[in-house]
Amino acid sequence: MIRSAYAMSLAARVGGLPVKASWTYIDGMPGLNAQLDSWLLGALDTKAAASGERYRPAMALNTRPATAIGPGTTLTAEPVAASGRVIVYRETENNTLPNGTSSVTSQTVYADTNTGQVHRAADLLRPEALPRIHTLLSNTAGYNPKPLPNEAAPLDIVLDDQGALRITTAQTGTGNRPARTATATIPAQEAESALGEFGRNVLSQLRSHAPVELPPAATQAFRHVNCDIVPCAALTYDDGPDPRSTPRLLAILREKKVSATFFMLGIKAAANPAIARQVSNAGHAIGNHTYSHPNLTMLSAAGIMNEIGRAQASIQAATGPAPTFMRPPYGATNATVRQAVGLPLINWSVDSLDWQSRDPNVFVPKVLQEITPGAIVIMHDIHATTIAGQTWLITALQSQGYHLVNVPELFEGTPLVTGQTYRSRPQRW
Ligand code: NI
């Protein structure tokens, strides 16, 4: 229905109970994605707080989705309609407690693709129309939520393309009477006078059945993932691009749908511009790893700036954009380096030592042992043995629940500052 939409899922254990979530992000709609995230994170934090915990992405590691129906939570957020400049999203939370009590709550939000703003369902209605809506609801057979909501906020309202309002409220249930939602429909002729300006705009968009008008998506090397919700790690590959091994790595990353980060040497990018361009075109992020791999702490400020500047120029000549972050060779920094590089410095939290062992049977178990959510893993795409271990490593990480993201994606929400050194994504707590 919407190009540039992509599905996400999560299986976690929070407070001993399973939580399953599935939702859909839309590229180019950061406000909508942020609304989804705050809804998800709010639900996860509430679950965790109920058992005296704080939600951490680590709770979603090594977790299989629960198959049996039993206590737990299911969170679902999907677009239910999209036309012209409007995307309608429905967010539903199903809870079953160990004592058999269950509840269903839902809300519908309306995203304006023109302004990027996300509106609550209540924004559809004129405030003065609420008493009339409630009278209509209470007269609807079968619609008997107790108490009847006295304001629009708890109402989940879906406006359809004919102008009718489908209104849902939450119901709780017990073991033999499971939770259900109560739904009432207010026909278009009754609903018309209740719609405010925003509601009338949404209706005219839905009536048009036009293709969705989306703003341009973010740059190719960036896709929204919230690493406070799902466990993330960034695989990084240094010292290339290499004409033999880098294309083989790209094929593995494409097959496994992994976005990675390549810290390129300027001298290699200049020698292999087509490979550098392949990396960029595949949607991976590229960082500056200096021109010729010196230990920057041995250089003057002018020498450091020369190494960074020449690498920026050759990477930019090969790929188009200039890198916005760098990694110092050997991870070596000091005050002069931090001052002179003019970019954020990205080191690592997990050292594969792939260059030392040259053996997947050594470096893959080492990475799997040391990795935690938010980690940055250093490897080198210039060794055949490194490439030989990637399918194993990636398959193992993904089966544990890791989302393998690139450096800008890993740090989304925590802006990278020039001259600062980073080793992993800071966790919320
Ligand atoms: Ni290096």
Side-chain angles (χ1 to χ4, degrees):
M1 181 166 62
I2 305 164
R3 88 186 142 75
S4 83
Y6 54 103
M8 298 285 293
S9 65
L10 175 80
R13 279 196 86 78
V14 185
L17 292 176
V19 177
K20 274 198 300 179
S22 59
W23 66 101
T24 303
Y25 289 133
I26 297 177
D27 247 352
M29 292 292 291
L32 179 59
N33 296 339
Q35 194 279 334
L36 283 168
D37 286 344
S38 78
W39 173 73
L40 281 163
L41 211 46
L44 292 165
D45 281 342
T46 304
K47 302 287 136 225
S51 56
E53 296 177 302
R54 288 172 153 176
Y55 177 74
R56 293 179 175 86
M59 293 174 181
L61 286 176
N62 300 304
T63 310
R64 290 284 163 279
T67 45
I69 298 164
T73 299
T74 309
L75 301 161
T76 315
E78 300 300 339
V80 291
S83 173
R85 298 193 301 274
V86 167
I87 299 173
V88 186
Y89 252 79
R90 194 113 196 281
E91 300 168 342
T92 308
E93 176 173 348
N94 259 279
N95 278 300
T96 305
L97 298 175
N99 68 12
T101 314
S102 55
S103 63
V104 187
T105 53
S106 62
Q107 62 179 2
T108 301
V109 297
Y110 295 79
D112 181 329
T113 66
N114 198 31
T115 63
Q117 281 192 309
V118 182
H119 296 263
R120 306 255 147 207
D123 295 349
L124 295 168
L125 306 178
R126 295 188 300 121
E128 314 86 81
L130 282 176
R132 173 77 182 139
I133 294 284
H134 286 129
T135 306
L136 289 166
L137 287 177
S138 56
N139 293 342
T140 304
Y143 187 87
N144 190 27
K146 288 188 177 82
L148 190 68
N150 57 8
E151 53 178 283
L155 295 177
D156 173 12
I157 307 172
V158 177
L159 173 62
D160 73 17
D161 62 356
Q162 304 299 308
L165 295 171
R166 235 178 26 258
I167 302 184
T168 306
T169 54
Q171 303 265 279
T172 47
T174 51
N176 51 5
R177 195 177 65 83
R180 290 178 27 194
T181 51
T183 303
T185 301
I186 296 179
Q189 62 270 29
E190 291 275 11
E192 197 182 359
S193 63
L195 294 179
E197 189 188 349
F198 177 69
R200 288 194 304 275
N201 284 342
V202 168
L203 179 55
S204 80
Q205 294 297 314
L206 292 175
R207 272 190 176 135
S208 73
H209 291 278
V212 187
E213 294 164 28
L214 281 172
T219 60
Q220 196 170 22
F222 182 84
R223 179 173 253 200
H224 171 71
V225 176
N226 190 314
C227 298
D228 292 329
I229 295 176
V230 294
C232 295
L235 302 183
T236 68
Y237 302 95
D238 291 13
D239 299 354
D242 182 272
R244 283 209 295 193
S245 53
T246 303
R248 285 163 51 213
L249 174 59
L250 289 176
I252 295 169
L253 297 175
R254 183 169 58 242
E255 190 206 323
K256 296 288 179 187
K257 297 185 165 54
V258 170
S259 183
T261 306
F262 291 74
F263 287 95
M264 292 186 180
L265 293 175
I267 194 169
K268 298 277 193 72
N272 308 294
I275 311 289
R277 199 156 48 245
Q278 273 181 43
V279 172
S280 166
N281 288 345
H284 301 294
I286 297 175
N288 182 318
H289 195 40
T290 73
Y291 191 78
S292 63
H293 212 271
N295 182 335
L296 294 179
T297 64
M298 314 294 268
L299 300 186
S300 65
I304 294 166
M305 288 190 279
N306 181 52
E307 276 285 335
I308 299 296
R310 287 174 72 199
Q312 289 293 84
S314 58
I315 294 169
Q316 188 170 17
T319 66
T324 56
F325 51 88
M326 66 84 62
R327 171 171 290 164
Y330 318 104
T333 65
N334 59 21
T336 310
V337 172
R338 288 188 290 273
Q339 230 272 308
V341 289
L343 294 168
L345 291 77
I346 309 293
N347 275 338
W348 56 85
S349 59
V350 177
D351 192 345
S352 68
L353 298 177
D354 59 335
W355 58 272
Q356 195 177 68
S357 69
R358 306 277 180 112
D359 184 353
N361 289 306
V362 175
F363 80 78
V364 173
K366 183 179 194 298
V367 172
L368 294 176
Q369 177 82 39
E370 295 178 13
I371 200 161
T372 54
I376 299 175
V377 182
I378 179 174
M379 294 179 282
H380 299 80
D381 59 323
I382 53 171
H383 304 302
T385 45
T386 295
I387 311 305
Q390 294 308 301
T391 299
W392 173 14
L393 177 64
I394 291 167
T395 306
L397 291 173
Q398 288 179 331
S399 74
Q400 288 179 25
Y402 276 101
H403 287 253
L404 300 175
V405 298
N406 63 40
V407 162
E409 292 165 342
L410 186 73
F411 285 95
E412 191 190 356
T414 52
L416 295 173
V417 178
T418 293
Q420 287 227 19
T421 310
Y422 301 85
R423 289 176 182 82
S424 60
R425 176 185 168 85
Q427 301 291 308
R428 278 199 304 159
W429 36 55

